[in-house]
Each structure stands twice: as structure tokens, then as C-alpha cells.
Amino acid sequence: MSESTGVPRPARPTLSRQIRDGLLQRIVAGELGEGDRLIETKIALEFGTSQAPVREALRQLEGLGLIESQPRHGSRVLPFAEQTIREAYILRAALEETATRLAMLAGAVPFDLLGEAVEEMHRCARDGDVPGIGLASARFHRHVVQAGGNGLLARAWEALQIEARTAIALMVTRPELERVAEEHRELLEVMRAGDVETACRHARDHQWAYADTPHDPYGMPRRQDGNG
């Protein structure tokens, strides 16, 4: 914890996650386009690491549907598909609605931890820290999912690679950061009010809003080599 504020410091990202997020940003921004090859040795050299974390980063990107591995040919970038974002948020909506119900019925909602995550999001919004607000958002929802006490649900939620998908959504939708933080504060207040059905509906609609938001990766800067 921070000695001055008592707020837990975010865990330092692993090397594989740093590589994954770096490549992810290039794919979403169009710097890496459809069909581009991702060569482990070159990526390892760029990041100054061995191939092991690169291999893990590529595995995670494949799980996100952004690249595909080809035997003896490495990995290549797939077309950026808006549908992959929509499908993930629809599934998240169902999982988090259920987790909210379970946590509230059990009286297990960790309000203090959720409040800390919201305050972190507001700090990130003031600083213009997009990666930070994404991590704080994922932490907020992870607390609710874990409080639900259903291990299978939690594993399904984690399998979605929430931090990475949140980063994608923030990059392509580019929402007002203060509004993102405020949406989570509103969700927290609804849960504090104690109406289970209203809270579950709010948790579901919070994710559906991102599923229904038009995503336009091509509105972001593209590479200028004529292929992107």
C-alpha cells in the first residue's frame, strides 16, 4: 500500500502483458494490419527479452481473436473485428449480472474495495491515464465477480482476458474518462442502495452499453505505407 494514501498500488504488469499490450495497441491503431506476420525473435529483440514472454503474449492475443498461429509460419494479424468486442461484452453482461446477484444476496459486496477502485478511476481520469483507468475498471468488476463466490463463473470471467478487452474498448471507443469513472460510481451507489433487481439490471446495462457502442478502429491513426 501507499504509505501516504493507504491505497494499494497497482501490481506491476508482467513482461508478457507489457508485450501483449504493446502489440495490441499497434493492432487496434492499424500500425499492424491484416496479414502482417509477428515473428517471435524480432519481437523479443525489440523488447529486450527471451522468446518465452513473447510466446505467452502471442498466445493471449490469439485468445482475443486478434491473431492466428500458423504451424511453421509463426503468427499473423487477423482483421480487426468489431464483433469480437460485442460478443465479449454480451457475455460479460450475463456473468456480471449473475455475480452481482450472488454477491448481494450473500451480503458479500466489498463496498470499501469498490470505492477504492472508483477513486482510482477518478484519479486516472484527471491525469488522462487511459491504461490506468482500464486496470482500475477491471479491478472493480473483479471484486464483484469474486464476491459472488462462484468459482466456475469467476474462471469464465477471467478467461475473457478482461484487462486486455477493456483496453481495446477504451482505445476504439475513446470515451470521456471522467464519465467512465462516474458510471462505476453510479453502479456502486445502486449496489449500496440494496435493491438486488435494480443493481443486477444496472450491472447488465453497464456492459451492454459497450456492446452497443459503435467501434471504429479505422478512425484512429493508420500506418502510411499504403497497406493499412
Side-chain angles (χ1 to χ4, degrees), residues 123-168:
R123 281 192 291 273
C124 291
R126 288 192 295 271
D127 294 340
D129 181 357
V130 176
I133 203 168
L135 291 174
S137 170
R139 188 159 60 250
F140 177 100
H141 293 289
R142 180 173 283 108
H143 288 320
V144 176
V145 168
Q146 291 175 341
N150 185 303
L152 183 59
L153 186 154
R155 288 192 292 275
W157 188 88
E158 293 290 354
L160 289 174
Q161 298 191 56
I162 298 300
E163 285 86 354
R165 292 193 189 275
T166 300
I168 293 172

Side-chain angles (χ1 to χ4, degrees), residues 37 69-75:
R37 291 184 63 201
S69 297
Q70 300 175 306
R72 298 181 299 279
H73 293 287
S75 302

Side-chain angles (χ1 to χ4, degrees), residues 2 5-11 112-140 143 177-178 180-182 184-185:
S2 166
T5 65
V7 176
R9 290 193 180 97
D112 289 347
L113 293 175
L114 297 180
E116 289 176 1
V118 168
E119 292 308 313
E120 178 64 18
M121 276 184 268
H122 278 291
R123 281 192 291 273
C124 291
R126 288 192 295 271
D127 294 340
D129 181 357
V130 176
I133 203 168
L135 291 174
S137 170
R139 188 159 60 250
F140 177 100
H143 288 320
L177 298 187
E178 192 61 44
V180 173
E182 193 57 32
H184 288 79
R185 185 182 297 280

